[in-house]
Amino acid sequence: MSYLFNNFIYRPLINLIIWLYNTVAFHDLGIAIIIATVIVRFLLFPMYQKMMKYQAIQKKMQPELAKIQKEMKGNYEAQGTALMAVYKKYHMSPFASLYSILLIIIQLPIFLALFKIFTVGLQKDLSPFLYNFVANPGVLNHTFLGLINLNEKSMVLTGIVALAQFVQIKLSTPKSGPDDVIKMPSGTIMGFILAGMTVLVLANLPAAAGIYWLVTTVFSVVQQKTSEITLSKNEEFKGDNAEPNKLP
């Protein structure tokens, strides 16, 4: 397993970062990390796009699902039928949320490889890991734009990442109406929770990890808003014209 991880995930990623550092990043490690992160996100774009689509449709469905849960409270058979009608109306599967879990599983080895690169990989001799066509740059410039030492912790960068995470969750969390039976945690509460977790994690990691986290969060926000705009013009997002099973 470690052989597969090192040769098919860790080594290609560290070579990508060093190649970018040597060629288009002006020998600035922070810029190389930003470009590498964008490339990774574009490679994962189709899977993220599908997840964003599911999230946007679920957000659109939430008021209808909450109404059914309220008006059919206790009548589980009728409630189940009505809920399935809403899912059918929006061409959604009740198990679509499992796709998010699958994406997390796929992402995990990539994140672990990047974590290893940022914490130890860029601090030691790179020669054993570089491909023949990637030149060893020798001593790396670990200062991002001459301002941030990527080997050290940066509370300023951590705060910026936490704010970006807060905005992302705030934008993606469906809002619950005052009459909803099952209250969804507000985007504000969820945003504060995730932002706090972000601070706890990044406060103990080098700034290089914060650069990656910030770029991938901003990329997610842009992709989410773009997906919502695109889907709002899509008939599948609007749902079929036919109403789901009427409530008694």
Side-chain angles (χ1 to χ4, degrees):
M1 187 63 70
S2 61
Y3 174 84
L4 295 175
F5 174 80
N6 287 326
N7 286 278
F8 292 99
I9 301 177
Y10 176 80
R11 196 176 177 197
L13 284 174
I14 199 168
N15 274 271
L16 173 62
I17 292 172
I18 298 304
W19 181 82
L20 291 169
Y21 177 89
N22 289 335
T23 55
V24 298
F26 309 103
H27 289 86
D28 187 311
L29 188 57
I31 295 176
I33 291 172
I34 290 173
I35 299 173
T37 303
V38 172
I39 290 173
V40 170
R41 285 305 304 260
F42 269 113
L43 291 175
L44 295 174
F45 187 87
M47 289 183 289
Y48 268 100
Q49 191 70 6
K50 197 165 186 177
M51 184 187 73
M52 295 289 183
K53 171 186 171 182
Y54 290 154
Q55 289 179 342
I57 295 176
Q58 287 173 334
K59 191 174 179 180
K60 182 79 172 178
M61 291 166 53
Q62 181 58 32
E64 294 181 45
L65 297 177
K67 183 179 179 182
I68 291 171
Q69 289 165 341
K70 178 186 177 183
E71 298 190 14
M72 292 186 173
K73 185 177 181 181
N75 189 345
Y76 298 111
E77 183 176 352
Q79 184 182 114
T81 302
L83 290 173
M84 289 304 298
V86 174
Y87 279 104
K88 184 177 180 181
K89 173 184 173 182
Y90 287 95
H91 309 282
M92 276 281 287
S93 166
F95 304 104
S97 58
L98 295 177
Y99 193 84
S100 298
I101 299 174
L102 176 62
L103 185 56
I104 291 172
I105 294 173
I106 293 172
Q107 280 189 100
L108 188 58
I110 297 174
F111 177 78
L112 292 175
L114 289 169
F115 173 80
K116 183 178 178 181
I117 291 170
F118 297 149
T119 52
V120 296
L122 297 175
Q123 280 77 48
K124 58 185 180 181
D125 181 21
L126 298 170
S127 301
F129 304 100
L130 296 180
Y131 299 136
N132 293 333
F133 60 87
V134 179
N136 190 334
V139 179
L140 294 170
N141 172 23
H142 288 272
T143 304
F144 175 48
L145 299 178
L147 299 173
I148 301 175
N149 188 333
L150 299 178
N151 279 336
E152 299 176 355
K153 303 169 187 176
S154 173
M155 291 309 298
V156 173
L157 183 59
T158 296
I160 294 173
V161 177
L163 178 61
Q165 289 273 236
F166 176 86
V167 171
Q168 181 189 11
I169 294 299
K170 180 81 171 171
L171 292 174
S172 63
T173 305
K175 295 180 180 179
S176 296
D179 298 326
D180 288 356
V181 175
I182 299 178
K183 297 289 184 181
M184 295 290 292
S186 72
T188 301
I189 295 173
M190 291 296 294
F192 276 124
I193 292 173
L194 189 56
M197 292 174 62
T198 300
V199 170
L200 290 175
V201 173
L202 289 183
N204 298 300
L205 294 178
I211 294 289
Y212 163 77
W213 204 318
L214 177 61
V215 175
T216 198
T217 301
V218 171
F219 195 103
S220 294
V221 170
V222 173
Q223 186 176 5
Q224 178 184 330
K225 298 313 292 182
T226 303
S227 297
E228 288 181 0
I229 293 171
T230 302
L231 288 169
S232 66
K233 302 174 183 178
N234 190 301
E235 291 302 319
E236 185 175 343
F237 179 75
K238 294 177 182 177
D240 296 329
N241 292 329
E243 292 292 327
N245 290 2
K246 292 190 175 181
L247 307 178

